[in-house]
Amino acid sequence: LNSPLGMTFLYYAQYLHYQLTNNELALKYYQKFLDKEPELLPENRFNFKSESAYARMYPPSTQTALTEMGEIYLQNNDLAK
């Protein structure tokens, strides 16, 4: 991660979205994550030779943030965004 706050923004946005259902504030924190980590790409490769569960976990990515933002816009019936 480029910013120490990048991961914090993503997890806080997910907490707001899934636990508190405060979607408007969650969108702001998803955007803050995207602004702090613009070149963080999705990790879509599968590693079948990993020895531990941690090696199989995917890192946070812009794909995650954008997908969850799209889910919020879909719930708000804002298909243009």
Side-chain angles (χ1 to χ4, degrees):
L1 296 173
N2 292 326
S3 165
L5 290 177
M7 181 78 73
T8 305
F9 288 149
L10 179 63
Y11 285 136
Y12 190 60
Q14 290 175 329
Y15 174 73
L16 288 166
H17 175 57
Y18 291 110
Q19 299 296 322
L20 301 181
T21 60
N22 186 344
N23 291 336
E24 295 303 317
L25 193 55
L27 284 172
K28 292 178 184 178
Y29 278 94
Y30 281 127
Q31 189 60 52
K32 285 183 179 188
F33 169 73
L34 294 174
D35 293 341
K36 290 288 184 184
E37 308 293 340
E39 68 278 340
L40 193 60
L41 299 175
E43 180 61 61
N44 291 324
R45 294 180 303 231
F46 291 98
N47 184 5
F48 292 108
K49 297 180 182 178
S50 63
E51 290 81 18
S52 68
Y54 293 111
R56 289 190 297 268
M57 292 174 63
Y58 296 115
S61 67
T62 56
Q63 181 181 12
T64 302
L66 291 172
T67 301
E68 293 172 0
M69 288 173 77
E71 179 186 332
I72 292 171
Y73 287 129
L74 185 63
Q75 289 174 354
N76 292 342
N77 203 19
D78 191 354
L79 300 179
K81 289 186 181 180

